[in-house]
Amino acid sequence: MDGNLELVYFKLLNGEEIIAYSKKIIGGWYIENPALLVSLPEYKVGLANWLPYTKLSAAGNIPDASLLLVAEVEDDMIKYYHTWLTQGAPEVTINSQDDKAQTTPNV
């Protein structure tokens, strides 16, 4: 992985939400290890491989014309992403009182 990449949130025009190690390039973004944000029951969030049967699941480009929003990723989601990337998929519960993510490992 390129040392100049940072974890970035993308909202695509088709409604998908992904986070990936990224850097801005001419006309879009270079991404590595993209993860699709998936809504789960009871205000939980999961991550899944984005386009798992393609080479883009490891690295590729997203054109600016496909993006609705690009944003910085919160620290709790960064920790969750790193756990997902290295150890598998823990569940994340969003506490409705303060909207902070809490990670609970799968058993």
Side-chain angles (χ1 to χ4, degrees), residues 18-69:
I18 63 169
I19 57 175
Y21 280 107
S22 311
K23 70 178 174 182
K24 184 72 173 115
I25 58 173
I26 295 172
W29 290 80
Y30 170 76
I31 62 169
E32 288 184 7
N33 300 312
L36 178 68
L37 277 77
V38 181
S39 295
L40 301 173
E42 300 179 17
Y43 303 102
K44 293 182 180 179
V45 175
L47 295 176
N49 289 326
W50 187 57
L51 305 175
Y53 304 108
T54 70
K55 291 184 179 186
L56 187 57
S57 66
N61 297 329
I62 299 177
D64 285 333
S66 297
L67 300 172
L68 181 64
L69 176 70

Side-chain angles (χ1 to χ4, degrees), residues 43 45 74-80 91-96 98-104:
Y43 303 102
V45 175
E74 290 283 340
D75 291 342
D76 288 341
M77 184 54 82
I78 292 171
K79 292 176 192 173
Y80 174 60
E91 291 182 353
V92 171
T93 302
I94 305 298
N95 183 334
S96 61
D98 62 5
D99 292 335
K100 291 290 183 182
Q102 310 218 346
T103 302
T104 308

